[in-house]
Amino acid sequence: MKNIVILGATGSIGTNTLDIIQRFPDQFQILGLTAKSSDEKLESLIKAFRPKVVALQDEVAAMALAQRLSKTKVEVLSGENGILAVAQLSEADLVISAIVGAAGLLPTLSAIRAKKTVAVANKEPLVMAGEIIKKEAAFNGVSILPIDSEHSAIFQVLNGERHQDIQRIILTASGGPLLRLSNDEKTQISPEVALAHPNWKMGPKISIDSATLMNKGLEIIEAKWLFDLPAGKIDVVIHPESIVHSMVEFIDRSVVAQLGLPDMRTPISYVLHYPERIPLSLPSLDLAEVGTLTFEKPDTKAFPLLTTAYAALEGGGSLPAVLNAANEEAVKAFLDKRIHFGTITKVIQQTLEAHRPNAIKTLDDVLEADRWARIEGKRWIKKDTNS
Amino acid sequence: MKNIVILGATGSIGTNTLDIIQRFPDQFQILGLTAKSSDEKLESLIKAFRPKVVALQDEVAAMALAQRLSKTKVEVLSGENGILAVAQLSEADLVISAIVGAAGLLPTLSAIRAKKTVAVANKEPLVMAGEIIKKEAAFNGVSILPIDSEHSAIFQVLNGERHQDIQRIILTASGGPLLRLSNDEKTQISPEVALAHPNWKMGPKISIDSATLMNKGLEIIEAKWLFDLPAGKIDVVIHPESIVHSMVEFIDRSVVAQLGLPDMRTPISYVLHYPERIPLSLPSLDLAEVGTLTFEKPDTKAFPLLTTAYAALEGGGSLPAVLNAANEEAVKAFLDKRIHFGTITKVIQQTLEAHRPNAIKTLDDVLEADRWARIEGKRWIKKDTNS
């Protein structure tokens, strides 16, 4: 019996993870769950999965939930410290890190420091602080398992292979809902249109990142740390059908790819049972039915953020953290309808231009870069709103 | 330094193997080479690769070659026994089994009995005598490595995976040069047209097998023995671009595929260096350049031999050996322009119908089924020629 903790249990990854777990009651037990503020959604999960401890970031929501659960044995924690406590529960075997954005950084690091195997679904912590996370994981003898469909694909393919035999990895990108629009058409797009991903049902942040291709930009940085590869060995190809989840080319020109219908339950089940697989009664991929798979080079004029992300990856230091923070602020402003879609790119690029890159040696360096970039990003957002 | 023996050195696989070997003079040494009758071609290989021993099946050609090489240290053997002697050379580390057709059976078995790792490029021995070959390999503690691009793909994908996690394997088939022709159009096709494979340059036998889809039929039987899977777990999908070489679906619905440009040097280099990979300076697969990959269900009306092969696989016993022998005779007759293309199918199906299936317990059972089927097949060929 494996004891599972889910950080960010009420989101898309959390829900899909619980869907798998309820199929195998003899193999997995939910030990802890966390959420930001959805106390009612968390309460229904508590009834279904009977965790020992839960935490809500929002103190008010936590108090309300604690009151409603006062006659049960479930412990309700609150705030940042509550989340960190759940991330470190001593009986946990596997921590699923699925808190959206930079907010996932400290909980992920806490789990690693508590010597837990961590499955990461949120790419932002690795983008911001990849070097620190990798060092901590090595120091604590902890494995980091990817859940993101692209990184799971590469992780599955690399199973049984030697690192030195990798020629390059090729991340596939659907191109998102705006793939065929001109830059002019995109500028005026509403959040509702940008949120409508053609293949994947995901949360709002990652859906907008897919529409700008920043999601792929974050993924190349994530891949650098997960697979210990330089930028020159990380390629991106547009594949609108989202059937090939990613590929590895080896030094003998053999390319191995992982494919499947777009369903996060397959990569989630892989980390739950790694290195073995569990049988899932999900629809089977029928390529004859799919018929056609297409591939094209990314249009870096239409999607300049991919180039921006490569530059941040190559520049290193504080640049990826700044890229990530500026992006988070810009996406939030776009979802709130404070800026146009086209302004997301401008905010990120202007913030990066204004930044003087620093080396990242400690967690504080990361948090400082993140803090600075949010202030700077907000300044550009405000400027744009006023203009 | 690995000592390599190539059985069938002057054919397409032999030539490609030597192309790889000459790139790594520090890693591989050619110990022995065999050929059927091409003494001049073999002589040029001897000059380039300096093997210790060679053998020619054809006694007259062998004598001529021996005379020309009388002042060198190269030992020239002849006939069936000569080939078998080269297959068993005591210093050999790896035997490449690339003799076309049933003629490869005894040399392959001899190498296995001499406790050599055998890389099989010729599928016919496994089709005819899969059970015996597997038993001998297990008894002698010997690995059988596949070279066929489809089986190499599956072999590469299964590296690091558990057998029990396999849901099914999916062999891809280009559909050959006659994919879009009607049955009527196909009947009158000439050997020259049928030999013109759209993606692969191969020998005449396998090229005709590709045009009838019998090649895929032989491959499903080969796959049964190589990967220990029942017929129900072996699927075929038509993929005209020959970029995806084959796939494995796992029980969690994850599909892993091996891809590459159609070039046998990648699977050959894989067996030469297995389980490691060697760097090959070959063109890299650029999917954005390829653009589109298509997949469709096999049309079993247009290609009835695939269904015939599944029936032989499921029936087992002597049926696969009969299928193979009738096919070899029919293909030979077609290449000699003694029968029409459409008659290949008829000869095979009539031979199988006339056959009373036996269990296969010994090599003699296999050879008897093979002998019977050739006589029966020839009878149908003659009947057709006379009609």
Side-chain angles (χ1 to χ4, degrees), chain A residues 105-325:
Chain A
L105 175 57
L106 292 180
T108 304
L109 266 177
S110 295
I112 291 170
R113 287 172 180 161
K115 303 194 190 302
K116 306 299 173 192
T117 301
V118 177
V120 291
N122 58 339
K123 55 200 68 154
E124 291 87 351
L126 274 166
V127 170
M128 298 167 70
E131 197 159 1
I132 290 168
I133 290 175
K134 289 288 285 185
K135 269 188 197 158
E136 292 272 0
F139 179 78
N140 290 289
V142 153
S143 300
I144 297 176
L145 311 175
I147 290 182
D148 228 355
S149 66
E150 293 81 356
H151 301 83
S152 174
I154 290 162
F155 188 63
Q156 290 181 50
V157 167
L158 289 179
N159 192 9
E161 300 282 351
R162 299 189 307 171
H163 189 269
Q164 70 207 80
D165 290 348
I166 302 170
Q167 177 77 28
R168 62 183 176 128
I169 63 173
I170 306 135
L171 298 170
T172 55
S174 71
L178 314 181
L179 179 61
R180 304 294 173 211
L181 298 191
S182 71
N183 279 343
D184 277 359
E185 287 170 316
K186 273 190 288 197
T187 300
Q188 300 301 325
I189 225 75
S190 70
E192 291 71 22
V193 172
L195 282 169
H197 196 279
N199 306 325
W200 292 98
K201 277 185 198 167
M202 306 179 290
K205 162 71 165 55
I206 186 172
S207 295
I208 301 304
D209 285 347
S210 291
T212 62
L213 235 64
M214 177 53 106
N215 186 47
K216 216 49 52 178
L218 299 176
E219 284 177 8
I220 61 171
I221 303 175
E222 186 186 6
K224 177 205 163 69
W225 297 113
L226 281 173
F227 306 115
D228 192 20
L229 293 170
K233 290 194 169 189
I234 305 171
D235 281 349
V236 171
V237 68
I238 301 289
H239 169 48
E241 297 84 10
S242 295
I243 295 292
V244 177
H245 296 320
S246 279
M247 297 170 261
V248 179
E249 183 184 36
F250 294 99
I251 52 173
D252 59 1
R253 301 304 180 192
S254 181
V255 175
V256 183
Q258 191 264 341
L259 296 77
L261 294 169
D263 190 324
M264 284 309 294
R265 289 174 292 183
T266 292
I268 289 168
S269 80
Y270 191 71
V271 298
L272 285 173
H273 227 246
Y274 175 78
E276 296 169 2
R277 296 178 185 270
I278 32 177
L280 289 185
S281 54
L282 297 176
S284 179
L285 171 64
D286 180 347
L287 276 179
E289 198 179 293
V290 172
T292 304
L293 302 178
T294 63
F295 303 88
E296 55 194 271
K297 273 194 209 317
D299 179 347
T300 48
K301 270 193 189 152
F303 296 101
L305 285 179
L306 189 59
T307 310
T308 307
Y310 267 111
L313 169 58
E314 276 165 1
S318 52
L319 287 170
V322 168
L323 174 89
N324 178 66

